[in-house]
Amino acid sequence: MISIRKVMAATAIGAMTLVPLAACSSDDSSSTESSTTSAAAAETTESMPEPAAEVKDLSKGVSTAVALDAGFTGALTTLGLTPGVVGTATLADGSIVFPITGGDVKYWEPGTVDPYVQGEIMHDGSGLSLTAGETVVELTDFDIDPGTSVLTGTVTVNGDVAAEDAVLFDLDGRTLKPLATGPNNTAILQGTEVKISETAAGLLNDTFKTDAVTPGLLVGVATITVATA
């Protein structure tokens, strides 16, 4: 998945390519328009506030934990699906935990920048499994983009890859609590609701021969804990 930083870098490179072409134009209006656009861009950059917190390297962890909603676990039971973990993920006390393996994140005070949490949070080597009889679906290698509020990953069915970089869950940050500090030099973002995406609902319905998995089904509430040092 392409991170916010990479997108910004690509945009900047594109702008640098376009400016010389405009400067060489004999059309005065084009030159004026280009100057106005450049000035506006510079003003926007200068007015961009510094983030309240930033972690440039998330490879030190720690984890994303999802407290599973009773409605979600009840739906799995109704469908005859048994949840499990893949790789380094753990499941205990009603929460499934995925270790963070890389990425970066910036956090601004809510209302100063939109979106106020940006970056990429990677969870390679772990995931969630759903089993019914001899059919096992694994959702793995989660990649959270807090700026677009989506979680992508890989889907395998009985060991065969069915989809890669698929949007598996939609993230609703309207319930997100303010950034908090935790023990051992950690920062905590708690309260984001995790919901089944339309893509994931379609894949699960097709695989398990049902139509009962609905987009928007609340999976649980996430707590993201990152190491800051």
Side-chain angles (χ1 to χ4, degrees):
M1 180 178 178
I2 299 174
S3 68
I4 294 293
R5 181 175 296 168
K6 291 177 181 177
V7 171
M8 292 175 67
T11 302
I13 292 171
M16 291 172 64
T17 304
L18 291 173
V19 168
L21 294 177
C24 293
S25 172
S26 59
D27 188 339
D28 291 339
S29 62
S30 297
S31 299
T32 301
E33 182 178 349
S34 176
S35 299
T36 302
T37 302
S38 298
E43 183 178 351
T44 300
T45 302
E46 291 174 0
S47 63
M48 184 78 165
E50 289 294 321
E54 179 179 9
V55 182
K56 295 181 179 181
D57 182 7
L58 296 180
S59 61
K60 298 179 181 179
V62 179
S63 66
T64 295
V66 180
L68 299 176
D69 184 75
F72 175 68
T73 55
L76 295 183
T77 300
T78 300
L79 293 170
L81 301 179
T82 302
V85 295
V86 179
T88 55
T90 58
L91 177 60
D93 300 324
S95 291
I96 188 166
V97 181
F98 310 99
I100 294 173
T101 58
D104 61 272
V105 67
K106 292 181 180 180
Y107 174 90
W108 286 266
E109 291 297 332
T112 60
V113 172
D114 185 23
Y116 62 90
V117 183
Q118 299 179 22
E120 180 181 28
I121 307 173
M122 303 164 65
H123 307 77
D124 295 335
S126 66
L128 167 70
S129 66
L130 298 172
T131 303
E134 296 182 353
T135 303
V136 180
V137 173
E138 294 183 346
L139 312 176
T140 60
D141 301 329
F142 297 152
D143 196 340
I144 296 174
D145 185 338
T148 58
S149 298
V150 297
L151 184 155
T152 60
T154 299
V155 182
T156 60
V157 179
N158 293 335
D160 296 326
V161 176
E164 293 182 301
D165 295 324
V167 177
L168 302 178
F169 302 106
D170 295 318
L171 308 177
D172 187 347
R174 289 175 294 180
T175 54
L176 182 65
K177 297 179 181 179
L179 181 69
T181 56
N184 303 317
N185 297 311
T186 57
I188 300 172
L189 284 169
Q190 183 178 25
T192 296
E193 292 185 340
V194 181
K195 301 178 180 180
I196 292 284
S197 72
E198 184 174 356
T199 298
L203 285 167
L204 293 174
N205 284 331
D206 288 344
T207 302
F208 293 113
K209 310 305 180 185
T210 182
D211 59 1
V213 183
T214 57
L217 175 65
L218 178 63
V219 175
V221 177
T223 298
I224 300 174
T225 304
V226 301
T228 58

